[in-house]
Amino acid sequence: MAEMKYDLVVIGGGVLGTFHAYHALKKGLRVALLEKDVVPQSATVRNFGQVVPSGMNTKWQAYGRKSLQIYKKIHSKYDITVRQEGSIYLASNEEESQLLEELHNINRDNAYTSILFTKKECLKRYPGLNENYVRSGLFFPDEIIIEPRTMIVKLHKYLINKGMDIFYNTKVLECNTLVGSVGIQIADGRLLMSSKVIICNGNDFKTLYPKLFASSDLEISKLQMMKTKPQGNYKIAGSILTGLSIRRYEAFAECPSYINIKSKESIDSPEKKWGVHILFKQAKDGGVILGDSHEYADVENSEQLGFDLNMDIDNFIIEKSKEIFNLPTYEIEHRWYGMYSQSKNSDIFEATIDRNIHIITGIGGKGMTGSPGFAKHNINQIFNF
């Protein structure tokens, strides 16, 4: 069987791998993207589809803001389901309102547009919002939502049209360093040759490098989400993030009042036990996605997270959601969980093998927002552009 030769082979067709391939292709490199399933099945398609740089720390907000530009630029040429409807954080008490004001000031200094909304303005803009819940809001007009299950498929089609080779149902058995190149052995017997390989396949890299995987500082997070039945004529715009998000997201950790506010929180609450923070996003079919939760396990014990859905978690999320929005229906149409890996001691896991094999994973919950911008930076570093 003939060898196929590339400048870059990317293993993993999720959002992190795909955008590494995208930026390499834009640099004029010959690129192949390998995906083990018929379409990506993991974290890339099991999330809200919220692109929210506002929730990230200063470093990753810069990547996220670049990501916004990249998503919008691609969408202007080829529909990848981008909707620029903005994001809002809803404060439920004075402490959370204080954090919103502080984040607004930080973003003003960073030249990232945000708008403080009064309680009245929030209630006017978001029908069904409970007036007993909301105190104030902070709105980010530049942020977008996407449909994750269709976005990645559309993005792949766009890249194929641009000349990229994408191979689905393609399982990689091993990567072997050769003189001046890397040999990628495929399960069906094919051999791909590439100057460099980037591995962005989540915790699946354990198949290729089990010892490195076992010794890594990666942990796995399991998230539960659900979607209501379509809401009829009811519309809710953009990403809705609430008080629990304000208390969880990294951006707020840079606010002066954050440490004092966090020190007062109970460590025994269901929110802490299950890592719950309440998010809303209306899907294109009219259903509202609700979530989510976070349960953690070290990579060597990830099977302890199981494949079942914990109905206590789902019921708690619904109960809390009803305190915030009076939706026409909370009847659930779909339930699912997602899993992503994250590094305990750094913001992303990176390892280089024999100079030309780069493992890049463990991006955590930053993947949909941070991947396009981070991948551009990383391709420039790897190829010395």
Side-chain angles (χ1 to χ4, degrees):
M1 192 172 290
E3 295 177 355
M4 291 177 280
K5 297 182 179 180
Y6 297 92
D7 300 308
L8 173 66
V9 167
V10 178
I11 301 172
V15 65
L16 183 59
T18 298
F19 275 106
H20 275 86
Y22 165 80
H23 290 297
L25 188 71
K26 285 199 66 174
K27 292 293 186 179
L29 302 181
R30 188 177 183 205
V31 182
L33 180 64
L34 312 183
E35 167 56 44
K36 67 179 178 62
D37 296 310
V38 64
V39 294
Q41 301 288 321
S42 300
T44 291
V45 298
R46 301 188 187 199
N47 63 80
F48 275 81
Q50 297 176 325
V51 182
V52 285
S54 54
M56 295 180 161
N57 63 26
T58 299
K59 174 185 174 181
W60 280 89
Q61 187 186 98
Y63 290 138
R65 290 167 67 176
K66 177 61 67 175
S67 295
L68 288 175
Q69 296 172 12
I70 293 166
Y71 278 121
K72 292 174 186 178
K73 183 176 181 180
I74 295 172
H75 185 74
S76 71
K77 302 174 183 178
Y78 191 92
D79 179 9
I80 57 168
T81 76
V82 168
R83 289 183 280 158
Q84 184 176 336
E85 298 180 358
S87 304
I88 191 164
Y89 296 81
L90 299 173
S92 66
N93 56 39
E94 291 305 316
E95 290 182 335
E96 292 163 5
S97 291
Q98 177 67 29
L99 289 173
L100 292 187
E101 292 177 12
E102 292 172 1
L103 187 65
H104 173 64
N105 292 334
I106 290 171
N107 281 287
R108 181 188 58 207
D109 294 341
N110 292 338
Y112 189 44
T113 302
S114 65
I115 304 166
L116 282 168
F117 285 176
T118 64
K119 175 175 182 171
K120 184 178 180 180
E121 289 170 327
C122 291
L123 291 169
K124 181 179 179 180
R125 186 178 180 93
Y126 297 98
L129 179 58
N130 190 337
E131 64 177 343
N132 294 323
Y133 176 85
V134 65
R135 296 292 186 92
S136 63
L138 183 62
F139 181 66
F140 291 84
D142 295 328
E143 298 187 341
I144 63 174
I145 54 177
I146 57 177
E147 301 299 308
R149 297 187 184 191
T150 51
M151 183 281 293
I152 195 67
V153 175
K154 286 175 172 285
L155 181 57
H156 284 186
K157 289 180 180 177
Y158 172 75
L159 294 176
I160 290 169
N161 291 340
K162 291 292 184 180
M164 184 182 295
D165 290 343
I166 301 183
F167 301 97
Y168 298 103
N169 287 319
T170 300
K171 181 72 172 178
V172 176
L173 297 180
E174 58 184 5
C175 298
N176 296 308
T177 300
L178 306 173
V179 178
S181 64
V182 180
I184 301 99
Q185 185 64 57
I186 309 301
D188 64 7
R190 285 177 292 172
L191 178 66
L192 278 61
M193 303 297 296
S194 182
S195 298
K196 291 186 180 292
V197 171
I198 294 177
I199 300 171
C200 298
N201 58 352
N203 59 358
D204 281 342
F205 89 83
K206 66 184 178 184
T207 303
L208 298 175
Y209 298 99
K211 290 183 179 178
L212 177 60
F213 178 78
S215 64
S216 73
D217 70 340
L218 290 172
E219 64 179 359
I220 307 301
S221 179
K222 178 181 178 182
L223 297 76
Q224 291 187 196
M225 291 153 278
M226 65 200 94
K227 183 162 75 73
T228 71
K229 289 190 172 183
Q231 300 285 334
N233 294 327
Y234 176 83
K235 302 297 180 186
I236 182 171
S239 298
I240 314 297
L241 307 101
T242 66
L244 292 176
S245 306
I246 293 169
R247 294 171 178 273
R248 181 178 178 88
Y249 276 14
E250 293 178 350
F252 294 95
E254 298 181 352
C255 295
S257 299
Y258 182 80
I259 293 177
N260 181 52
I261 289 172
K262 290 291 286 185
S263 68
K264 301 176 184 177
E265 292 182 356
S266 169
I267 61 174
D268 299 321
S269 66
E271 293 94 324
K272 291 293 185 182
K273 176 183 177 182
W274 293 320
V276 169
H277 67 127
I278 305 300
L279 309 172
F280 301 82
K281 174 215 160 182
Q282 191 163 32
K284 202 165 185 179
D285 68 1
V288 173
I289 302 174
L290 309 173
D292 58 3
S293 58
H294 300 77
E295 297 176 279
Y296 298 96
D298 292 335
V299 290
E300 63 268 24
N301 300 314
S302 59
E303 70 281 355
Q304 294 179 1
L305 293 172
F307 53 82
D308 294 317
L309 291 171
N310 183 333
M311 288 298 99
D312 288 339
I313 293 177
D314 274 15
N315 292 336
F316 181 76
I317 290 172
I318 292 171
E319 176 187 328
K320 287 295 180 183
S321 297
K322 287 180 176 179
E323 294 175 3
I324 302 170
F325 270 96
N326 299 312
L327 300 179
T329 179
Y330 271 94
E331 189 174 356
I332 302 302
E333 185 173 72
H334 298 297
R335 303 175 189 266
W336 69 93
Y337 72 87
M339 288 192 183
Y340 62 67
S341 61
Q342 64 184 27
S343 175
K344 295 179 185 178
N345 301 308
S346 60
D347 48 15
I348 193 166
F349 179 86
E350 299 179 273
T352 299
I353 298 167
D354 297 333
R355 297 181 58 186
N356 291 323
I357 302 172
H358 303 270
I359 300 170
I360 304 160
T361 187
I363 195 170
K366 304 183 293 294
M368 195 60 72
T369 299
S371 290
F374 171 77
K376 180 177 183 178
H377 161 81
N378 209 35
I379 286 293
N380 288 340
Q381 278 200 323
I382 289 171
F383 286 93
N384 295 315
F385 287 128

